[in-house]
Amino acid sequence: MRIMKQGTGLVMGVGLLLLCGAAVSANTTNYEPTWESLGNYEAPEWYEDAKLGFWVHWGVYSVPAFKGDHAAEWYGRRMYQKDGQSQFNRAYAQHRHHLDKYGDPAEFGYKDFIPMFKAENFDADLWADLCIRGGAKFFTMMGVHHDSFCLWDTKLSKWNSVNMGPKRDLVNEMAKAVRKRGLKFGVSNHSAWNYMFFQWNHINQYDAKNPANQDLYGNPVYPKELAEARFREGETRGEWFERARNTVTPSQRDLDRWLARTKELADMYQPDLYYFDWGMNPPAFESRRKEFAAHYYNNAIRFGQGAFGSPNVVLNYKNGSTFKPGSAVRDFERGGMDQIAGMAWQTDDCVYDDHNWGYVPDTPIKPTNQIVDQLMDIISKRGVLMLSFAPKPDGTFPEEQKTMMYELGDWLEACGEAVYSTRPYVVHGVVGEQWGKRNEHGVKLYESTIEDVRFTRNKANSVLYATMLKWPGEKLVLETFKGVDLSGVKFVSLLGTDGELLWEQTEAGLEIQLTKEPSYGMAYPIRIEFETRIPAPAKTMPRGERK
């Protein structure tokens, strides 16, 4: 009997172990909507190799194409804000413009721009070709912005580009064109902030009060004391702004609708990258954020893209607290990391300066060399750049934006070896005094000097690329290699040119004699090939290994 008990206990123990093993196996096969499970994630190699992707801000807001004193893609929010209903009255320009050009928002609302968004000259194949011509390795299509007008054939709302406006599934057309050319395809979803975006439409009782428009304008919960939307006595504009922002909340319907549409977009097009703006940051979205992440990663596993731990897709998030570190890819809007990161990350930026992202006629764009300099800074720290362009409402790109794509592509054709499939060196480079300073609006400026150098290397760690962001003249001195044994240097050259460069090791570091400045005229990568491995700078090498 005792033996039977022992045997039974053994059998039960083995059974429990088998059950536990089965549970562990299940948990390591598919993701669960918990931070612990989602933490089993790594960014895909294709993404870290790509370095550059293109993106667009394109939608109904491209029709009015008026930024006033903020951003063109925010026209739908600010056209409803009356004088006194914004911090520093910033929105009054859009409201006044709307009154002058289109009339009272009660009579001509944001929804009335939709028939004017026709995309009559949109050519997905041409867009994909421009993406390749510009040197990008993935393309992210705008799926839906804050305005909640969907650019795909959603079955969850009548407010979409198949039922209205273009009468086309714009996301699907781009997905097919991009993948046909061997590029990765992403989607962009900003709809979480829809509850806040049309806040003033609701408060001022314009066309958002009509129940038929709720799937476009949302169903936010806001306090009655904000109905007048005026400042309290003694209240500063900043205090009022915080009060207004913090008291307007998404309704249960807004939250559920966001999750349903977000899943649908993933299910229909199986994107390799899914980008989110900051609208889903509030705590009310947390359970849904986790639910979607598990759903998206599991989809990738189900469709054969990857496996648990490495689903081979990218999920972007904006705020450090929105997702736990290591559960998705951190994105920085017009910014980035200051140092080399332990995991791939992303900068999203635009060809326009300041806050604007949507198309506005006759608005200057950044010089291409500034974009190239920013790209080299980002990738030197293990980042990826997703660069947004702004098509016209008919689906064509302004000529100056196409010119930038051509110039960027030409530079990458000559110098892409220092970009694609590279990894950060031990240090990311030498940063000049002007780099990363902020202007009066708080926006970082990426202005390089002859001091600025950024490092990348090949995966084999045998070739180092030292990219000069400005042409230094006849000689480059890399002080990073002061005191380092450089006897293993095999060949030094300048990408995009022929021949070997003369170099020597001096007390100052590695001195390289430069010839004539190359014709491509921006960001000049020096290629330094070693016999074996690239040596580390003396100051970063472990004690006992110093040369």
Side-chain angles (χ1 to χ4, degrees), residues 376-441:
M376 295 312 299
D377 181 73
I378 290 166
I379 70 173
S380 73
K381 303 166 188 172
R382 207 176 177 183
V384 175
L385 173 62
M386 190 167 75
L387 181 64
S388 182
F389 292 85
K392 299 177 182 179
D394 70 351
T396 60
F397 288 93
E399 287 302 314
E400 64 272 16
Q401 294 186 31
K402 289 194 291 185
T403 298
M404 175 187 280
M405 295 179 199
Y406 302 151
E407 292 175 348
L408 186 54
D410 289 344
W411 182 83
L412 285 163
E413 180 69 24
C415 303
E417 184 184 334
V419 178
Y420 303 124
S421 298
T422 59
R423 295 296 182 266
Y425 178 50
V426 180
V427 293
H428 68 268
V430 180
V431 181
E433 292 184 0
Q434 297 301 315
W435 189 265
K437 286 191 173 180
R438 296 184 183 273
N439 63 12
E440 65 274 16
H441 303 294

Side-chain angles (χ1 to χ4, degrees), residues 209-255:
K209 67 182 180 181
N210 186 340
N213 301 331
Q214 287 182 347
D215 272 350
L216 184 69
Y217 296 135
N219 304 83
V221 178
Y222 58 91
K224 296 301 182 183
E225 64 265 21
L226 275 180
E228 293 297 323
R230 297 295 173 181
F231 297 105
R232 294 172 177 171
E233 185 177 350
E235 185 176 42
T236 67
R237 292 187 186 277
E239 289 169 342
W240 172 85
F241 181 78
E242 286 300 309
R243 177 168 61 88
R245 185 179 67 177
N246 292 332
T247 52
V248 176
T249 58
S251 66
Q252 190 70 28
R253 183 181 179 189
D254 288 327
L255 294 167

Side-chain angles (χ1 to χ4, degrees), residues 275-524:
Y275 169 90
F276 288 104
D277 208 353
W278 36 258
M280 64 171 184
N281 289 351
F285 284 89
E286 181 171 345
S287 65
R288 291 167 178 82
R289 288 196 301 265
K290 291 187 288 187
E291 183 176 341
F292 173 74
H295 180 83
Y296 179 51
Y297 293 159
N298 288 334
N299 261 5
I301 297 169
R302 181 161 60 94
F303 295 130
Q305 292 171 268
F308 182 85
S310 183
N312 208 34
V313 292
V314 178
L315 190 158
N316 292 139
Y317 68 99
K318 276 282 179 67
N319 186 285
S321 60
T322 307
F323 277 81
K324 299 293 184 183
S327 61
V329 174
R330 177 77 184 273
D331 174 88
F332 298 85
E333 182 174 319
R334 298 187 186 269
M337 300 287 288
D338 292 329
Q339 299 295 328
I340 299 171
M343 176 179 171
W345 53 274
Q346 179 175 285
T347 289
D348 70 278
D349 210 332
C350 182
V351 296
Y352 290 128
D353 269 321
D354 202 15
H355 297 290
N356 191 63
W357 296 71
Y359 168 68
V360 178
D362 305 318
T363 299
I365 63 172
K366 299 172 183 175
T368 307
N369 70 298
Q370 182 179 331
I371 298 296
V372 170
D373 289 352
Q374 187 180 3
L375 172 65
M376 295 312 299
D377 181 73
I378 290 166
I379 70 173
S380 73
K381 303 166 188 172
R382 207 176 177 183
V384 175
L385 173 62
M386 190 167 75
L387 181 64
S388 182
F389 292 85
K392 299 177 182 179
D394 70 351
T396 60
F397 288 93
E399 287 302 314
E400 64 272 16
Q401 294 186 31
K402 289 194 291 185
T403 298
M404 175 187 280
M405 295 179 199
Y406 302 151
E407 292 175 348
L408 186 54
D410 289 344
W411 182 83
L412 285 163
E413 180 69 24
C415 303
E417 184 184 334
V419 178
Y420 303 124
S421 298
T422 59
R423 295 296 182 266
Y425 178 50
V426 180
V427 293
H428 68 268
V430 180
V431 181
E433 292 184 0
Q434 297 301 315
W435 189 265
K437 286 191 173 180
R438 296 184 183 273
N439 63 12
E440 65 274 16
H441 303 294
V443 177
K444 278 190 175 182
L445 302 176
Y446 299 100
E447 296 179 1
S448 56
T449 67
I450 59 172
E451 300 173 328
D452 283 283
V453 179
R454 301 296 186 271
F455 295 123
T456 52
R457 63 169 177 85
N458 67 352
K459 292 183 186 179
N461 198 30
S462 61
V463 178
L464 178 72
Y465 305 96
T467 302
M468 306 169 286
L469 301 191
K470 291 286 185 184
W471 185 254
E474 297 179 352
K475 182 173 67 175
L476 171 67
V477 180
L478 294 175
E479 296 182 4
T480 302
F481 293 98
K482 183 177 181 179
V484 176
D485 181 4
L486 297 176
S487 60
V489 173
K490 183 178 178 181
F491 195 85
V492 178
S493 60
L494 176 61
L495 292 185
T497 65
D498 297 323
E500 185 175 3
L501 297 178
L502 297 176
W503 66 274
E504 64 176 332
Q505 185 170 13
T506 69
E507 291 184 358
L510 175 58
E511 294 191 9
I512 302 171
Q513 301 300 317
L514 300 174
T515 54
K516 183 180 178 181
E517 180 180 354
S519 59
Y520 52 74
M522 50 187 166
Y524 312 90

